[in-house]
Amino acid sequence: MKGADNEHENSAETLLQSGQAWNGQHIEHYPAGKPEITVMKMTIPAHSELPWHTHPIPNTAYILSGSLTIEDKASGETKTFNAGEAFNESIDIAHRGFTTDQPAELIIFYAGVAGMDLSIPLPGEEAEY
């Protein structure tokens, strides 16, 4: 019901609905344990790369500004996501993100369990955050 002081209509847009990661990997299940949702805002400077890492849990990123390229370590496959796009990250598959001429700002949603790491660096790599 619209009121005199509230003459707008709500709108909704599904940004991503998928059971697969950006590289086609199927998300098989959520981790067992006490559910814990984490929402993180990350800013990555221009001409930067994140360390190689894996995620043990499902997570989705939404690009607020700039662009981010995700690279699969084993295959070398890459895919670039731009502002306004969302993607599911791979689970237990080594990858990294990198920027080119502009910084990237993103929101990441992690569907984990209490006490579980969000990101695990590969041996010899620094932590992602």
Side-chain angles (χ1 to χ4, degrees):
M1 180 169 116
K2 293 182 187 178
D5 295 332
N6 188 12
E7 301 236 353
H8 73 278
E9 291 186 32
N10 294 333
S11 67
E13 176 185 357
T14 299
L15 299 173
L16 176 68
Q17 186 173 33
S18 173
Q20 293 184 9
W22 70 274
N23 62 356
Q25 176 193 30
H26 290 275
I27 299 170
E28 299 295 330
H29 58 83
Y30 290 101
K34 182 181 178 194
E36 184 174 77
I37 303 297
T38 302
V39 179
M40 177 184 297
K41 183 176 181 182
M42 179 182 277
T43 301
I44 306 167
H47 304 287
S48 296
E49 59 186 37
L50 297 172
W52 292 107
H53 62 278
T54 62
H55 299 287
I57 57 175
N59 68 92
T60 300
Y62 176 77
I63 308 294
L64 293 171
S65 63
S67 65
L68 182 68
T69 299
I70 304 299
E71 179 180 11
D72 182 280
K73 184 169 178 57
S75 70
E77 178 183 4
T78 63
K79 186 164 183 179
T80 300
F81 297 92
N82 298 299
E85 294 183 307
F87 63 94
N88 291 328
E89 291 201 59
S90 57
I91 301 170
D92 296 325
I93 294 177
H95 65 281
R96 68 177 174 185
F98 63 87
T99 59
T100 54
D101 293 336
Q102 55 184 315
E105 188 173 52
L106 50 151
I107 300 289
I108 310 169
F109 305 85
Y110 295 91
V113 297
M116 183 175 255
D117 289 331
L118 303 177
S119 177
I120 300 170
L122 266 54
E125 294 283 332
E126 293 183 16
E128 180 180 13
Y129 35 78

